[in-house]
Amino acid sequence: MMETLERRLRGMPISPGIVIATVKVEVAGSTAPGIYSIRRCEKQAEWDRLEKALCRTEVELNELKARVEHMSGADEAAIFDAHLLFLRDRSIMSKLHVEFDARMQNMEAVYYAVVQNFMELMRRVEDAYLRSRVADMEDVLRRVLKNMAGEHHECPSSRDKQPHILAAYDLSPSSTADLNRDLVRGFVTEAGSTVSHTAILARSLGLPAIVGIEQLTIEVKAGQEVIIDGYEGLFILNPSPETKEEYLNLRAEKEKAYKALALMRDLPAETTDGRHIRVATNVEFAHEYSNITASGAEGVGLYRTEFFLLNDGNMPNEEEQYVHYKDLVEACAPEEVIFRSLDAGGDKLPFERDVKEDNPFLGWRGIRVSLSRPEIFKDQLRAILRASAHGKAGVMFPMISGYTEVIRVKKLLQDCRDELNERGQAYDPNLRVGVMIEVPSAAMMADVLAPHVDFFSIGTNDLTQYTIAVDRVNRRVADMFRPAHPGVIRLIDQTIRAGIPTAICGETGSDLNLVPLLIGLGATELSVGVHVVPLIRYAIRHLNYEECREMAQLALKAQDSSAIKKLSREIAIKSYPNLFH
Ligand code: PEP
Ligand code: MG
C-alpha cells in the first residue's frame, strides 16, 4: 500500500501561493511515466511486459558493447557491464516485487519509482566511483521505459493529463519556462535557490514553488496527494482532511487580501512625505502583457529578453523581434518599457548550446556575448529602437563591468540609429539608455559611467553573488547569500550617489523587509515581479522617506547583514504590519 500518513517536508519558499493536487515525479532527463491502477488478474501480464523490455534492453546493451569493443577495444566496452548489472540487479528486482504488490500500479510507474529511489541513494554515497554510476542507471532506466512503451495495452496519457504538482531533483530555467501551464500547478525540487532564474520564472508564471527540500525524491511517491505552501516553504504529503480544509481557507484569505490590494492600484506610489517611487514590473514571458496594467505597474522596468530570444534555439531576426517588442510597447503605453539586451549564459541557456564552461557566471555572459556577436546584437538594438516609435521604450545592458564596454555599446547603438535613418525607419530619438549595475566594478565606477547614460538599474541578484562571492544557484551556500550584506549595501549607495535615476530590478526590490532601506538609500524605482507590484505600491504609500533616509545612514555604518535587516525591518513592520501576516 502507498503510505497515507500526513508528512511535512521543509524547503525554501521561492514563489508564493497554495496548491493542492496529486504529484508527478520527474528525474533529470527522463519523464515519469503515467500512473494507473491495475487489477489482480493483470499482474502477470505486467511482469511479462517488464521481462520483455528487460530482454530487449539486454540485447541492445550487448550489441552496443560489441560495437564499442570492435571500434575502441575491450576496456571502453566494459562500461556496459555496469549497465547490464543494473538491469538485473537483485536488490532492485526484489524491491520491485514488494512495491508492485503494494501499489498495484502499472509496471513502468513502479519500476520508475524504484529505480529512481536507488539512484537517489547512490547520489548520497561517499564513494565517488559509485556516485558516478548514477548516470549509467539513468541510461538503463530510460531504455527500459522506452522498451516498455512499445508494449502498452492501455495508453496512460489520458491519466497523465490531469493538473498536477511536479516534483523533481532540479529544474533548469529552460525546463521551467517549458512547463505546461495548463497542467503543472506548482513545483518542488531538492536542489535550487531563491534567486536562481528558475525561482524568478516560477514567480513570474505565478506557480507556487519550493526548492531545497532535503530527501524530496526519496520521500515523495508519484500519485500522492500533496500541498505546496509557497509562503512558508512547507510541502505536505498525504494531507489529512483537516489540513486540506485549513489550507483551502488560508488560500481563500490570501486571495481576498491580494484582491483588496490590487483594487488600490490607482493610488499613487508615493511616500507619506510625497516622494514618488516608480514601481515597474519585471517581465519574462509574452503572456504577461495583460497582467502588467492590471497589477498597477508603471510599465516594465526589466524585460529579460533572453527567454524570448533563446526559446527554441532559433534566434528571431530583427523583423520578428520588432513585431514582438512593438506589441509590448503598445500594450504598456504611455508607460515605459525597458528592454534589457540579451543576457545569455550564467544559469540560463548558453548563447551557443555546445558551449560548456566551468564557471559560467564568470564566463561568456550578458554584454560579453553581445559585443562578440555585433551583428546579432545590432539586430536586437534596431528592433528595440524601431519599437520605441510606438510608445515609450528604453534599453539597458547586462553585466557591464566598466567604461569601455559602455562606450562600445553606445557606439553600436549610434550605428543602429544611423542605419535606421538611412532606411527611413522611425525610432524615438529620446529613447533612454541605461546600464545594469550588477558587477561590483561597475558600482565602483558609477560616477564615471553616469555621464554617459540616462539611468542605472541595479541587479541585486548578481551584485550580491559577485560582491560576496556566493553562487546564486548553489544550495550549499544559500544561507550565505545576503542581499543586505554591508558590502552590497555600500555598493548600492555608491551607485545611487552618482546622481542619475537608479532603479532596483533584482529580487531585493520585492523584499518587504528591505524596501525601507532601498527607498532610504535613494532608489527612484523598484522593478519587481508582476504579482508583487500591488504589495510594493502599498508598502511605499505607508513609508516616510525622511525616516527611511535617516535609517539608511545608520545602516551604512552597520557591521553585518542582520543589523542592517533589523533596522529596515523595524520600519517595515511599523509601517505596513498587515503585509507580514
Ligand atoms: C539581477 O542580476 O539582479 C538581475 C535583475 O538580472 P538577472 O536576475 O536576470 O540576472
Ligand atoms: Mg543579473
Side-chain angles (χ1 to χ4, degrees):
M1 284 286 293
M2 211 191 290
E3 214 182 321
T4 52
L5 272 186
E6 177 173 311
R7 304 228 10 236
R8 294 178 175 223
L9 307 180
R10 263 200 185 276
M12 291 181 269
I14 55 160
S15 181
I18 287 165
V19 55
I20 307 178
T22 53
V23 65
K24 187 172 162 194
V25 185
E26 189 178 290
V27 173
S30 53
T31 310
I35 301 175
Y36 52 96
S37 303
I38 56 147
R39 294 187 298 264
R40 297 229 150 254
C41 61
E42 293 170 320
K43 276 179 75 178
Q44 190 51 48
E46 290 297 292
W47 280 114
D48 292 347
R49 284 198 316 120
L50 176 69
E51 186 50 35
K52 266 192 180 173
L54 293 179
C55 288
R56 200 169 305 159
T57 309
E58 203 161 7
V59 171
E60 280 173 12
L61 289 170
N62 278 318
E63 278 172 7
L64 213 59
K65 188 178 164 194
R67 228 179 306 145
V68 173
E69 194 164 345
H70 178 67
M71 287 183 314
S72 318
D75 283 354
E76 272 71 14
I79 53 169
F80 293 104
D81 291 339
H83 289 63
L84 287 159
L85 281 176
F86 286 137
L87 192 64
R88 299 286 181 180
D89 183 274
R90 296 237 311 262
S91 10
I92 292 182
M93 293 315 276
S94 67
K95 180 88 176 133
L96 191 60
H97 272 96
V98 174
E99 287 290 318
F100 183 63
D101 285 348
R103 295 177 187 227
M104 292 300 288
Q105 290 168 339
N106 53 318
M107 184 57 89
E108 51 270 78
V110 185
Y111 181 78
Y112 178 86
V114 167
V115 175
Q116 186 196 316
N117 273 1
F118 271 85
M119 280 167 35
E120 281 310 313
L121 291 174
M122 283 193 34
R123 280 197 184 99
R124 288 175 165 77
V125 296
E126 293 237 327
D127 185 322
Y129 173 78
L130 276 181
R131 273 204 314 273
S132 70
R133 302 270 60 89
V134 173
D136 299 343
M137 237 179 172
E138 200 171 340
D139 191 34
V140 171
L141 173 65
R142 219 175 288 131
R143 282 172 188 279
V144 173
L145 290 180
K146 180 197 73 186
N147 286 330
M148 283 193 89
E151 295 292 328
H152 275 139
H153 55 267
E154 183 187 354
C155 172
S157 58
S158 56
R159 296 165 193 262
D160 215 23
K161 291 206 167 115
Q162 303 296 328
H164 57 265
I165 284 168
L166 188 67
Y169 182 76
D170 198 6
L171 271 183
S172 66
S174 56
S175 36
T176 309
D178 272 352
L179 289 177
N180 182 338
R181 293 284 290 110
D182 293 334
L183 298 181
V184 180
R185 296 291 153 86
F187 68 82
V188 286
T189 66
E190 199 159 323
S193 68
T194 51
V195 288
S196 64
H197 283 93
T198 297
I200 289 166
L201 293 178
R203 290 190 279 274
S204 156
L205 291 166
L207 280 178
I210 307 172
V211 300
I213 304 177
E214 301 254 345
Q215 307 267 348
L216 169 72
T217 44
I218 288 187
E219 302 285 349
V220 71
K221 304 274 177 290
Q224 273 178 326
E225 189 173 36
V226 295
I227 297 179
I228 292 183
D229 174 352
Y231 298 99
E232 297 295 328
L234 259 187
F235 183 51
I236 307 174
L237 311 173
N238 303 315
S240 67
E242 297 75 40
T243 305
K244 266 170 76 175
E245 166 127 15
E246 180 198 332
Y247 271 94
L248 287 171
N249 291 338
L250 185 64
R251 183 163 69 188
E253 241 174 66
K254 293 273 186 193
E255 279 170 4
K256 204 167 130 203
Y258 183 83
K259 278 191 190 130
L261 284 180
L263 281 179
M264 295 185 238
R265 63 168 183 247
D266 294 331
L267 297 177
E270 217 171 82
T271 61
T272 54
D273 46 351
R275 182 172 165 91
H276 174 77
I277 306 292
R278 180 188 180 213
V279 182
T281 187
N282 296 346
V283 169
E284 286 79 30
F285 298 109
H287 65 73
E288 282 175 45
Y289 296 178
S290 57
N291 296 340
I292 296 171
T293 31
S295 72
E298 296 160 71
V300 174
L302 161 64
Y303 178 24
R304 291 182 162 98
T305 56
E306 51 277 5
F307 295 104
F308 159 62
L309 295 178
L310 303 176
N311 184 23
D312 57 4
N314 291 320
M315 181 80 121
N317 61 26
E318 176 189 325
E319 201 56 31
E320 289 159 338
Q321 290 187 51
Y322 159 65
V323 171
H324 178 79
Y325 299 157
K326 172 173 93 53
D327 285 350
L328 178 58
V329 168
E330 281 175 346
C332 295
E335 300 292 354
E336 185 182 34
V337 177
I338 306 282
F339 292 90
R340 174 177 70 187
S341 68
L342 175 71
D343 184 17
D347 62 336
K348 288 171 284 200
L349 280 178
F351 181 66
E352 282 158 10
R353 283 179 191 244
D354 53 352
V355 170
K356 294 264 179 296
E357 298 178 298
D358 286 342
N359 289 304
F361 277 116
L362 301 180
W364 202 45
R365 194 193 157 187
I367 202 64
R368 301 166 186 187
V369 173
S370 296
L371 286 174
S372 60
R373 296 285 186 275
E375 289 316 315
I376 291 173
F377 187 28
K378 282 171 69 187
D379 276 348
Q380 182 172 33
L381 293 179
R382 279 191 302 264
I384 293 171
L385 279 165
R386 289 171 59 195
S388 72
H390 299 269
K392 199 162 174 217
V395 63
M396 65 181 184
F397 305 100
M399 289 291 291
I400 292 288
S401 61
Y403 172 79
T404 316
E405 282 159 350
V406 176
I407 299 306
R408 285 181 67 194
V409 160
K410 285 193 67 181
K411 162 89 176 63
L412 286 172
L413 191 60
Q414 189 51 46
D415 291 348
C416 291
R417 288 194 190 97
D418 295 344
E419 283 157 18
L420 292 183
N421 288 340
E422 265 171 41
R423 287 188 203 164
Q425 285 175 322
Y427 61 89
D428 175 5
N430 298 318
L431 165 121
R432 291 202 311 147
V433 179
V435 289
M436 288 194 71
I437 302 292
E438 49 184 355
V439 177
S441 58
M444 291 169 193
M445 297 291 287
D447 58 331
V448 174
L449 306 184
H452 301 279
V453 290
D454 300 307
F455 67 94
F456 289 142
S457 190
I458 304 183
T460 50
N461 309 332
D462 280 314
L463 187 63
T464 306
Q465 108 164 318
Y466 293 129
T467 304
I468 51 180
V470 174
D471 182 344
R472 66 192 265 190
V473 296
N474 183 339
R475 183 163 62 110
R476 286 197 179 154
V477 289
D479 61 336
M480 294 171 69
F481 190 89
R482 306 243 162 93
H485 188 289
V488 180
I489 300 309
R490 286 174 186 215
L491 288 177
I492 295 177
D493 175 57
Q494 192 171 347
T495 305
I496 294 175
R497 277 192 290 106
I500 61 174
T502 301
I504 310 288
C505 66
E507 295 304 299
T508 313
S510 1
D511 184 338
L512 287 167
N513 291 303
L514 295 181
V515 168
L517 176 67
L518 299 174
I519 302 301
L521 288 170
T524 53
E525 170 185 329
L526 301 181
S527 189
V528 299
V530 75
H531 301 283
V532 195
V533 170
L535 277 78
I536 299 297
R537 289 176 63 82
Y538 178 92
I540 287 167
R541 285 200 301 276
H542 291 80
L543 286 173
N544 180 285
Y545 171 59
E546 270 311 311
E547 186 186 18
C548 293
R549 212 175 57 81
E550 278 167 27
M551 177 272 294
Q553 291 314 305
L554 286 180
L556 285 167
K557 297 193 186 97
Q559 288 179 338
D560 61 23
S561 59
S562 21
I564 294 176
K565 197 164 168 185
K566 186 162 175 272
L567 283 167
S568 185
R569 185 173 159 81
E570 267 164 20
I571 295 187
I573 296 219
K574 186 183 75 177
S575 308
Y576 35 86
N578 46 333
L579 295 189
F580 287 96
H581 290 154

